[in-house]
Amino acid sequence: MTPARPGADDRWAVDSPALGTGLRARPCGDTLRPAEPPPADTPVAVALSGGGFRATLSALGVLRFLADAGMLTELRYASSVSGGSIANGLLATHWPALAQRGFTTAAMDDLLTGPTIEKISSRSLKKALLRGLWRTVGSSTRTDLLARRLDEWFFDGTELADLDPGVRWILNAANLTTGARFTFERDVFGDYTIGLAPTARTGLKLSVAVAASASVPGAFPPLVLDHTGFPCGTDAPALLDGGVYDNTGTEAIDSESYRDVFLLVLNSGGLLRPGAYGGLPIVRDLARANSLLYRQSTALRTRLMVERFQRGHTAGPDEPLPSGARRGVLMALATDFADNDSGQLDKWRDAFPEHRTHDGRDLSLVPTVFDQLEEPLCRALVHRGWWLTGAALSTYHPHRLPDLTTLSPPPV
């Protein structure tokens, strides 16, 4: 069954058979599931939030730390949203080449960190989109243009079905039609209400998945998948920025099925600015309400995950985890770490001084943009993601840190 694009007299209603008339979401009931990655002795997962290039660069810092600490070989799940999905897509694209070079820090710098900083600091993706607006005349949209530019800049025609099966790559969007999280993975795409469809022989590009994950409402229209049939779908999925639904990227990997997977969560999302918003009253109040809704959803997910991490920390590093507990860390660009009894955090700070500002501004306040950023700022954001990961592990899981003398921080 191939859903058609809604006509002028239709509306995108939540009318999937999985939902019924009570508007209470229920699973489609289809049997297709994403393939699980190969086992690992100590499997690791990352969840990379949205936040424009601020999120992309700080996420690359987290990934670089994993390479630096020898943990990248244990990565089995990578979930992301918006700007974090660019970093996730870059890692997925270069994974085979990284494997050939032993997942070293030098390989990360040569293949991911260095080229990405060079692109972002030397030209503007926003201006490239504006110059290509003439391409949106007709059926093509600004989101289609975004996918094309992302492919040119970062992904070089890579298709989802071609990604390495050693990691479960999860790129998250929000489905306006069903109100659910929509997943793009190597072998499947869809959501739990309409079911999953296979990616094989679809030609679906990684850049399309990243564009859907990063299509900020207002700036980009929903990406409509009107040529794909889903088991329980009646209307075409209309996809926009995954941060609208879950900007932490954690929902895909927060169930009991992943209890034994060590999870690192980086929230590079924007901060809620206190005080009154200026401008026209209606626009001002809508913008403020939207910020509050974002703050509420992110805060609830963060609180839940931190509580689960705390239960896991109480159990100790070698004891079985109780139900609902997880082992891992969650950090944001504005996170402050308090001194702990072990003294490991002091050792971390002594070895690697914290750099949380650039040009007098806290890095958490860098605007959420896909625009050109100067090279020192790019390097500061990469370093911030790297430093936060080490500080979080020093504080809560020091046994996972290697000898600090073996680590090499990204240059600031």
Side-chain angles (χ1 to χ4, degrees):
M1 173 180 174
T2 302
R5 186 187 295 269
D9 297 329
D10 299 324
R11 59 192 178 94
W12 288 339
V14 186
D15 62 353
S16 165
L19 298 177
T21 57
L23 297 182
R24 188 176 68 181
R26 294 192 299 273
C28 170
D30 61 319
T31 58
L32 184 61
R33 289 293 177 270
E36 286 299 315
D41 292 336
T42 53
V44 171
V46 293
L48 308 172
S49 83
F53 280 150
R54 180 186 66 237
T56 301
L57 293 160
S58 54
L60 287 177
V62 174
L63 300 175
R64 189 187 185 281
F65 180 91
L66 294 184
D68 218 10
M71 298 171 63
L72 198 57
T73 58
E74 301 293 305
L75 183 68
R76 292 298 181 269
Y77 302 90
S79 178
S80 60
V81 176
S82 195
S85 287
I86 296 178
N88 195 6
L90 284 166
L91 183 65
T93 300
H94 295 285
W95 189 260
L98 289 167
Q100 287 183 349
R101 295 182 54 176
F103 296 108
T104 62
T105 304
M108 280 290 297
D109 286 342
D110 292 345
L111 297 171
L112 270 76
T113 311
T116 304
I117 289 175
E118 193 280 328
K119 286 186 176 72
I120 294 175
S121 63
S122 62
R123 46 185 172 160
S124 168
L125 179 60
K126 182 178 75 172
K127 290 181 180 177
L129 292 171
L130 291 173
R131 287 194 299 269
L133 281 179
W134 63 271
R135 293 177 177 270
T136 62
V137 176
S139 59
S140 185
T141 69
R142 295 188 302 279
T143 308
D144 297 326
L145 178 61
L146 174 62
R148 186 180 296 114
R149 290 290 182 259
L150 289 172
D151 197 51
E152 294 167 355
W153 276 43
F154 300 118
F155 306 125
D156 196 26
T158 301
E159 295 184 6
L160 284 174
D162 295 334
L163 298 182
D164 193 285
V167 177
R168 188 173 155 201
W169 312 102
I170 307 167
L171 298 103
N172 301 287
N175 189 349
L176 277 176
T177 307
T178 64
R181 178 185 67 86
F182 190 98
T183 188
F184 289 95
E185 306 197 22
R186 179 186 65 84
D187 49 347
V188 298
F189 63 122
D191 70 42
Y192 80 101
T193 69
I194 62 175
L196 299 176
T199 59
R201 296 181 294 279
T202 63
L204 188 58
K205 288 186 175 183
L206 174 61
S207 59
V208 173
V210 176
S213 180
S215 54
V216 180
F220 300 99
L223 187 147
V224 180
L225 299 178
D226 53 2
H227 298 293
T228 302
F230 296 91
C232 298
T234 55
D235 284 301
L239 309 178
L240 46 71
D241 193 323
V244 173
Y245 182 85
D246 168 22
N247 200 49
T248 65
T250 56
E251 184 181 87
I253 46 179
D254 70 354
S255 73
E256 286 291 291
S257 302
Y258 309 98
R259 182 194 298 187
D260 296 324
V261 178
F262 190 84
L263 175 59
L264 299 103
V265 184
L266 175 67
N267 183 3
S268 304
L271 301 180
L272 180 69
R273 181 164 56 85
Y277 280 26
L280 296 173
I282 295 178
V283 176
R284 176 196 64 206
D285 294 344
L286 286 175
R288 187 63 172 173
N290 182 67
S291 296
L292 288 171
L293 289 170
Y294 164 79
R295 169 73 171 175
Q296 172 183 274
S297 64
T298 304
L300 288 174
R301 291 185 183 277
T302 297
R303 187 179 306 160
L304 174 63
M305 189 56 67
V306 168
E307 289 174 353
R308 298 179 71 180
F309 285 158
Q310 288 173 335
R311 288 197 291 271
H313 191 256
T314 302
D318 301 317
E319 299 299 320
L321 285 176
S323 178
R326 289 290 298 271
R327 290 190 176 99
V329 291
L330 186 152
M331 54 267 183
L333 294 187
T335 293
D336 292 310
F337 290 95
D339 293 333
N340 59 359
D341 296 334
S342 72
Q344 189 64 32
L345 180 61
D346 291 335
K347 295 178 182 177
W348 173 260
R349 284 180 166 140
D350 290 340
F352 308 110
E354 182 176 9
H355 300 279
R356 63 179 301 160
T357 64
H358 172 73
D359 200 20
R361 178 174 59 180
D362 195 287
L363 291 171
S364 63
L365 299 177
V366 173
T368 304
V369 295
F370 289 120
D371 206 350
Q372 183 176 359
L373 303 179
E374 58 182 7
E375 181 180 346
L377 175 56
C378 293
R379 294 195 178 279
L381 286 165
V382 171
H383 185 277
R384 183 64 177 161
W386 184 93
W387 190 92
L388 284 168
T389 309
L393 292 177
S394 297
T395 304
Y396 300 106
H397 300 276
H399 62 285
R400 286 187 170 267
L401 279 177
D403 184 342
L404 297 188
T405 61
T406 65
L407 300 177
S408 57
V412 179

